[in-house]
Amino acid sequence: KERSKISMIREIIDTLENEMGKVIPLEAVTERAEEKGLKTGEVEEIIEKLRRNGDLYEPRRGFLSKL
C-alpha cells in the first residue's frame, strides 16, 4: 500500500513536470494527490521520504524538483 502511494506521488510529479516544467509547486502536488484520495499528511510524508532518498530536492521553499 505504501509503495503504491509513493508511485502515485511520482506519477503526479511526472505529470506536473510535463505541464509546468522542472520546478513544481508543492501545493500543486498536494492538490493532485488529494484529488486521488491521499491526505495532506501522507503526501508530505511521502515527499519527505523521496527527498531523503535523493529522488527529489527543494530548489526553493515550497517547490520541488526531480534529481
Side-chain angles (χ1 to χ4, degrees):
K1 193 169 186 181
E2 179 74 15
R3 194 169 298 190
S4 68
K5 288 178 185 176
I6 289 173
S7 60
M8 188 189 298
I9 295 292
R10 284 182 183 198
E11 280 174 35
I12 291 168
I13 290 169
D14 288 341
T15 305
L16 289 170
E17 189 180 57
N18 290 333
E19 291 172 15
M20 301 178 172
K22 285 276 177 213
V23 180
I24 305 158
L26 179 55
E27 198 177 289
V29 178
T30 308
E31 280 173 19
R32 292 274 173 102
E34 285 174 352
E35 286 166 13
K36 294 183 182 234
L38 289 176
K39 294 181 187 79
T40 305
E42 291 177 307
V43 176
E44 289 168 358
E45 219 173 90
I46 292 167
I47 286 172
E48 188 53 43
K49 263 186 193 149
L50 291 171
R51 272 218 294 282
R52 278 197 305 267
N53 293 343
D55 296 322
L56 294 175
Y57 73 101
E58 211 171 356
R60 59 184 190 271
R61 192 160 171 66
F63 290 86
L64 297 170
S65 234
K66 288 196 312 192
L67 282 178

